[in-house]
Amino acid sequence: EPEVTQTPSHQVTQMGQEVILRCVPISNHLYFYWYRQILGQKVEFLVSFYNNEISEKSEIFDDQFSVERPDGSNFTLKIRSTKLEDSAMYFCASSEQGSVTEAFFGQGTRLTVV
Amino acid sequence: EDQVTQSPEALRLQEGESSSLNCSYTVSGLRGLFWYRQDPGKGPEFLFTLYSAGEEKEKERLKATLTKKESFLHITAPKPEDSATYLCAVHGSSNTGKLIFGQGTTLQVKP
């Protein structure tokens, strides 16, 4: 069964460092997303990406964040200068047809900023 | 503002004791309501999509229903392996596939 895969599963980084979280969406999906979940809180939308550009981003997704689809299979989230409050689970998701179909999520990357 | 509220926050059941989880939503022009299951430390696992009031979907011991203002996830004769957090989400008013999640209901089923 096709699935969304994320690497690494856990990343520890020092405050101020750059991190790149990687995702391989389901192969025939066209819409890609990043969400985050701070421990004990809701899953929050960060950004949606379609046709090689951002289609929507939340207030959380400020200039420190960027996304890229560097090739035909990977989708990355970069945080340029991490802060303590960036510590969270980050989930990548993909869907076939955006706001018409369901999204499938990866298992997440736990980011710990120290 | 688009919003999703789930209740109760936590639910403890004995094995075999049926119950329902509630999801109330406020969104202009519902394009889809989704139920996910989330195990600790894992990503949300898709369960159901509901598109219009009156629609019902079933999978094993779970049945999801939808009205114009809320959705219910009915759990019939639950087993310990049904223990998880159940998340409800709706597509936002924008047409980008963005999901707005509720805070979830954490279900514990005791043998």
Side-chain angles (χ1 to χ4, degrees), chain B residues 7-43:
Chain B
S7 62
E9 285 190 18
L11 183 62
R12 296 171 101 178
L13 299 173
Q14 286 297 126
E15 185 172 0
E17 180 187 1
S18 301
S19 188
S20 296
L21 283 53
N22 177 265
C23 170
S24 299
Y25 62 90
T26 306
V27 65
S28 43
L30 182 71
R31 289 189 194 75
L33 184 141
F34 306 87
W35 283 97
Y36 288 86
R37 169 188 170 131
Q38 187 177 31
D39 292 302
K42 305 289 186 185

Side-chain angles (χ1 to χ4, degrees), chain B residues 14 24 71 75 93-94 98 110:
Chain B
Q14 286 297 126
S24 299
S71 177
I75 303 176
S93 301
S94 60
K98 165 187 172 181
K110 299 229 169 203

Side-chain angles (χ1 to χ4, degrees), chain A residues 35 37 56 99-100 103 107, chain B residues 36 38 42 51 94-96 99:
Chain A
Y35 291 81
Q37 187 175 33
E56 185 175 0
S99 64
V100 179
Q107 290 302 291
Chain B
Y36 288 86
Q38 187 177 31
K42 305 289 186 185
Y51 288 109
S94 60
N95 200 26
T96 61
L99 286 173

